Amino acid sequence: MVRTDSCLARVGAGVAIGGAVGGAVGAVYGTYEAIRYKVPGLLKIRYIGQTTVGSAAIFGLFLGAGSLIHCGKSY
């Protein structure tokens, strides 16, 4: 069991929150782009999925890295 104040728990929470926010933003942006560029048929689903996963991964990576950097600081 991981303590709630441990660095690993904070980084994990950062990755999870970043992934959730990135996924939401990616889904909205992917939908907008698919409609804007008139992506045909079922390729819309693939395009939106790729945008969602890519955005979630990037947001999660950066928020997790930020949490890791912030982990060593005490105020």
Side-chain angles (χ1 to χ4, degrees), residues 26-38 47-48:
V28 171
Y29 183 70
T31 303
Y32 169 73
E33 288 284 313
I35 292 169
R36 179 179 175 201
Y37 291 124
K38 296 180 174 72
Y47 187 81
I48 294 168

Side-chain angles (χ1 to χ4, degrees), residues 33-58:
E33 288 284 313
I35 292 169
R36 179 179 175 201
Y37 291 124
K38 296 180 174 72
V39 177
L42 290 177
L43 289 177
K44 281 186 179 103
I45 303 298
R46 181 178 176 187
Y47 187 81
I48 294 168
Q50 285 176 343
T51 307
T52 301
V53 171
S55 183
I58 293 298

